[in-house]
Amino acid sequence: MNKMIQDNKQMLVGLTLTSLVKGISMYFLSKRDKKQYTLVGEIKSLVMYPVKSCKGIYVDNFVCTETGPQNGVIKDRQWMVVSAETGQVIRVPQEPKLVLVTPEFHGNTLSLTAPNMDTLLLQIPTLENVGNIYATKLWEQTVTGIDCGDKAAQWFSNYLNKPNKYRFVFSVPQLNQRDMHGFEKNYINRHAPGSKIDTFADFSQFSLVTTTSIEDLNFHLDTPVQADNFRMNLIVQGGSAFEEDSWNQIRIADVEMTKLKLAHRFLLYAA
């Protein structure tokens, strides 16, 4: 943990995590040494964000794969909106209205709804129906996405009131395997050799925050926030405020995870 992170431990942050084995249960433990775990809380909610920067889906369970959470056909951050001109990823600070886009799944069909918009229905792309391929960057790493067609592009462009400006892309695992161990940034990279991400997640396969940290933050705010504001996959109940900042190794049933870094969130300002 570098000095900048140490000096900012009182910020509300989550952890980004990497999974070592599969499985999930409702109990969460923090590792004190290689043999001893101490019970510190339990999983309150599991959340997946199929479309980057859009609303999450609360699920009863998901499989902790080596590349991230998965529930049936649903994977975390498998779709995203990009600039039609540059291919640049479009995030919440650029288009805050994205957080009001609600995804649902019906079999192999993705349904998207948003205020004052008709429902958009899309079949989950496969290698057999590949469209144009977009290459863009996530924090200096090149990622590849399949274009989901003009209908989806027009839907997002119209919703965001910027005609023909955006495209909607999908990550096919066979085309998008990022080597995270070799990824260099200005903090310690704790990814194990062979660690990969095959979606549009920024740096880690999983992320976490505790309800006590959110409650502590709300004590200092005029307008309270919820766990949804921080877009984490694992919402943990228990422990003291910001205690999760110090959890370097955790276990959930037979799943072991390693802390990668603190997950700072974008600041949004009202107009």
Side-chain angles (χ1 to χ4, degrees), residues 65-79:
T65 76
E66 293 181 352
T67 59
Q70 184 166 352
N71 179 297
V73 299
I74 308 173
K75 297 188 73 172
D76 196 60
R77 274 95 171 172
Q78 199 163 20
W79 280 265

Side-chain angles (χ1 to χ4, degrees), residues 82-85 95 153 157 162-167:
V82 301
S83 165
E85 181 178 354
E95 294 289 0
S157 296
K162 294 178 181 175
N164 304 316
K165 185 169 182 178
Y166 297 127
R167 305 298 296 184

Side-chain angles (χ1 to χ4, degrees), residues 6 17-18 26 29 36 50 52 61 67 90 100 108 111 124 129-130 143 171 190 193-194 198 202 205 212 216 235 253:
Q6 288 176 332
L17 306 163
T18 181
M26 299 304 289
L29 301 95
Q36 184 69 37
K52 194 176 183 70
N61 61 79
T67 59
I90 303 303
L100 301 179
N108 289 324
S111 166
I124 297 176
N129 60 357
V130 168
V143 296
S171 175
R190 296 184 175 89
D198 59 11
D202 285 338
Q205 292 91 336
T212 49
D216 185 275
I235 313 301

